Amino acid sequence: MYDRFYPGQVWLDTEGKRIQAHGGSIMYIDGTYYWYGENKEKTDGKNGIWHWGVRCYSSKDLYNWKDEGIIIPPEPDDPNSSLHPESCMDRPHIIYNKWTGKYVCWLKIMNKDQTQTETVLTADHILGPYTKVREGLRPLSMSAGDFDLAVAEDGKAYYYFERVHSETICADLTWDYTDVTGYYSTHFPRVSPPFVREATSHFLRKGKHYLITSGTTGYLPNPSEVAIADTWHGPYKVLGNPHPDDPTHTSFHSQISSVFKVPGKKDLYIACADRWLPNEMHRPYEVYAEMFEKIFTGRAEEFDFSRMGEPAVENTSIADYVWLPLRFVEPDEEHPDGMVYIDWMDSWKLEDYE
């Protein structure tokens, strides 16, 4: 039994197995927490298996998690399915639609032709079963990468995604949350990776909208960035890196997938992050950031690839989690729009917060 969080350490479920809920989020439903995400149990970086469906866990205390099983199974018998184990399925996000009574799940799919599409599924319960309602969706006719889904108090929903290797998009969802309406706004235009923002996480605090994003360097980590706005569509103002005390410039060797406000706590928000490659933490960010920039600006010949050493083994079956609380600085002379910081802690407890 756990009685606190241990960021970056192996986290086991109540059966003593590694938790496999990567790139996911938490929902609080009727007194129970549900944590879902990519099941990477078979992804050793060598066998061609990218995922083994979406797995979900339940908890009463956020520390100890019961495996509720695979709620969206892989489809190994259909090589053309977006849920085939070799299909690059990432970042499941589930929201509840009070009008339809459905749980709606969006999945990002990286296709073999390098385009990225969405698969959308619905279910009557968070644990499923889920039914596909859209496959191969190109929102706004764009190649759509990492994303987050968010629902306003009035039930209107929004979809924040990376327009691949270009900018961030905020798009309104249809009333049933299974498509976009066509109305959207654009944010954070960048020339190329590693500067393009991905892994967008949206949250609300005191009427302000926050986006925490990652740079674009694959599974290798990079500096996060936080931005703030008065409305869902912005405009968003970049505040800076929430990890200023991290000398490695890797967000403590992790990538934030979502931000969860703990119910019953006055002001406790948890940045839920994945440490995708715990065996590759020796790689310096500055080197692979330069590599990504030169590759994506057509100057790959200028980079000495021997500086990267041996190729990284993307064994995400042993990926760990880095859950840390957000620390808010209210607006002052130094921070006219406030600021959000994430401090390293070897361990921490919910009980330490109001």
Side-chain angles (χ1 to χ4, degrees):
M1 293 283 291
Y2 295 101
D3 65 355
R4 65 192 63 216
F5 301 106
Y6 296 93
Q9 296 190 28
V10 175
W11 200 348
L12 305 178
D13 64 20
T14 55
E15 297 177 358
K17 300 176 182 178
R18 277 182 179 269
I19 294 174
Q20 295 287 346
H22 299 286
S25 301
I26 304 168
M27 296 186 77
Y28 183 66
I29 305 170
D30 298 330
T32 299
Y33 301 100
Y34 293 91
W35 176 14
Y36 61 85
E38 304 161 34
N39 178 18
K40 293 286 196 177
E41 63 180 326
K42 298 179 184 290
T43 306
D44 64 5
K46 300 177 182 178
N47 58 16
I49 294 176
W50 186 269
H51 71 91
W52 202 255
V54 176
R55 189 178 288 277
C56 188
Y57 298 81
S58 65
S59 175
K60 293 294 186 179
D61 61 9
L62 285 175
Y63 302 131
N64 301 283
W65 294 91
K66 175 188 175 184
D67 183 5
E68 297 288 354
I70 296 175
I71 60 173
I72 300 176
E75 297 180 350
D77 296 330
D78 182 0
N80 296 316
S81 169
S82 60
L83 292 174
H84 188 272
E86 294 183 3
S87 174
C88 298
M89 181 275 288
D90 287 332
R91 300 192 176 276
H93 284 289
I94 301 172
I95 50 178
Y96 178 71
N97 189 309
K98 65 182 182 181
W99 295 307
T100 64
K102 298 285 188 181
Y103 290 86
V104 184
C105 178
W106 285 52
L107 307 172
K108 182 192 84 174
I109 310 297
M110 291 187 288
N111 301 294
K112 293 178 180 178
D113 64 359
Q114 303 304 308
T115 61
Q116 299 187 33
T117 58
E118 308 298 307
T119 292
V120 183
L121 310 93
T122 62
D124 294 325
H125 190 276
I126 180 68
L127 297 180
Y130 284 82
T131 302
K132 288 181 196 172
V133 295
R134 298 190 189 279
E135 197 167 23
L137 174 65
R138 286 177 55 86
L140 305 169
S141 299
M142 297 179 185
S143 183
D146 288 0
F147 69 98
D148 196 8
L149 303 176
V151 181
E153 285 190 9
D154 64 2
K156 186 174 178 58
Y158 301 85
Y159 167 47
Y160 295 89
F161 68 95
E162 173 213 0
R163 184 179 188 179
V164 175
H165 299 164
S166 174
E167 60 191 344
T168 296
I169 303 292
C170 174
D172 290 9
L173 292 186
T174 54
W175 73 277
D176 62 358
Y177 303 170
T178 68
D179 204 347
V180 293
T181 66
Y183 183 83
Y184 69 98
S185 54
T186 64
H187 312 274
F188 319 134
R190 304 290 166 87
V191 63
S192 72
F195 310 109
V196 173
R197 311 316 297 169
E198 66 173 12
T200 303
S201 299
H202 172 278
F203 66 96
L204 267 167
R205 177 182 181 266
K206 295 184 177 181
K208 297 290 187 179
H209 295 260
Y210 292 84
L211 298 180
I212 297 183
T213 57
S214 160
T216 316
T217 52
Y219 278 134
L220 296 169
N222 54 64
S224 298
E225 189 174 271
V226 60
I228 190 171
D230 292 324
T231 70
W232 294 90
H233 282 281
Y236 282 88
K237 180 178 181 179
V238 175
L239 300 181
N241 182 356
H243 304 88
D245 295 330
D246 174 21
T248 69
H249 308 298
T250 62
S251 306
F252 302 132
H253 295 284
S254 71
Q255 182 184 46
I256 297 169
S257 64
S258 61
V259 174
F260 177 67
K261 186 182 188 306
V262 180
K265 292 293 184 178
K266 182 179 179 181
D267 202 29
L268 178 55
Y269 294 74
I270 302 176
C272 304
D274 296 277
R275 181 170 285 173
W276 291 109
L277 303 176
N279 290 342
E280 303 291 337
M281 290 169 58
H282 61 282
R283 297 182 185 274
Y285 165 71
E286 290 75 12
V287 173
Y288 56 80
E290 181 184 350
M291 178 188 72
F292 273 83
E293 179 182 10
K294 289 188 173 177
I295 287 174
F296 284 93
T297 55
R299 297 179 294 142
E301 71 280 358
E302 297 178 10
F303 185 76
D304 178 5
F305 286 87
S306 67
R307 295 170 60 198
M308 285 292 291
E310 292 296 318
V313 177
E314 296 187 342
N315 180 8
T316 52
S317 69
I318 59 169
D320 293 319
Y321 304 96
V322 177
W323 285 21
L324 290 166
L326 304 186
R327 175 169 59 89
F328 296 95
V329 175
E330 303 301 338
D332 57 21
E333 289 186 8
E334 183 180 356
H335 308 92
D337 296 288
M339 185 56 191
V340 182
Y341 291 116
I342 302 174
D343 305 309
W344 179 259
M345 300 181 188
D346 291 330
S347 68
W348 65 281
K349 301 176 67 171
L350 297 169
E351 291 75 10
D352 295 334
Y353 295 82
E354 295 180 48

